[in-house]
Amino acid sequence: MDTYQFTNTLCLLVILYSAAIAKEDDGWLMKAATEVRAMEGYPVVLPCSFSHPHHTHPSSMHVVWTLGHGRAATVLFRCTSLNNSQLCQSKPIQDQRFRLEGNHRNHDVSLRINSVTLKDSGRYYCRVEILGHPHKSFENTLGTRLRVEAAPRILSLSAEGTEAGFKAMCHVQGSPLPDVQWIEPDGVQEGDTSFPLSQDATGQYRTSSQLLDIKPGRQYICAASNSLGKDQATLYLLPPSPERLIAKSSFSLLVLLLALALGTKLLLALGVGVWVIKRRFSIRASSVEH
């Protein structure tokens, strides 16, 4: 390896190492992974450990894990260890999927998440708070990015519209974000009629696609795929039934007959009215002559 490659490799290692370790001013060190990947439905462990310059371990402490940082942070897990206890007690109202995986007395405060979901994706921060010392807390300020991956899953497939025109709607989720294709008996649908409508901003794992101008009596397949797998669903748009066509024709005929009958009545009424007026004028004329 030449000097140039060695220098670049060394710089990369320093960057990765500094991203994994956060050092406090008074000698505390918080170590955490920069990124962890997990599969949906499986457990995952977010590693975090600490060290300090003191000879004795703090007797009482809080261990806190948050999603996000600062004022926007959401506390997901908190446990308390008092009087050098080996146990770190958490409150039962917390999400039971979260628990302390490491032994805090051995400086390990790693977090375990059971049955992770796509919604669990985000940046997590571990923090140790020393009881009896106000404002004495130490946190991994860089955080650990959790990326939850999942094979595509079609959430819904439906048709919308009227007899004037129909469109198919397909809602999909997965991570990495799936590609969506529309397949007809003639092959893959191409052109501007198939395009994504939206993408979920949180986690970037949901998308929607629509296919315009679908025809009754035809079959349409929404196919989603990513690097972890694929999923598909079939939509068949039923043609209008003969009974409905007959009913529609009968209804149209009935409306036509009613309109003709109403028109005939209006004409008869108008004719009678004209006859009555003429009759009255004729009677008046005869009276004047006599």
Side-chain angles (χ1 to χ4, degrees), residues 11 63 67 102 113 118 121 154 162 171 192 214 228 231 256 276 285:
C11 290
V63 176
L67 178 62
I113 308 176
L118 290 171
S121 295
I154 294 178
T162 63
H171 300 280
D192 295 335
I214 62 175
L228 299 177
D231 190 19
L256 179 60
V276 169

Side-chain angles (χ1 to χ4, degrees), residues 199-241:
Q199 183 171 310
D200 192 277
T202 304
Q204 301 293 303
Y205 57 84
R206 285 188 179 179
T207 186
S208 300
S209 182
Q210 71 176 2
L211 183 64
L212 303 177
D213 299 326
I214 62 175
K215 306 300 181 183
R218 301 200 66 179
Q219 176 177 288
Y220 300 89
I221 298 175
C222 176
S225 62
N226 65 12
S227 58
L228 299 177
K230 58 184 179 180
D231 190 19
Q232 68 179 37
T234 302
L235 172 69
Y236 182 77
L237 190 61
L238 293 173
S241 62

Side-chain angles (χ1 to χ4, degrees), residues 64 66-75 123-125 127 139-142:
V64 183
T66 64
L67 178 62
H69 193 256
R71 295 182 178 180
T74 300
V75 176
R123 190 169 295 277
Y124 291 73
Y125 296 83
R127 184 169 74 247
E139 184 179 37
N140 171 35
T141 56
L142 301 175

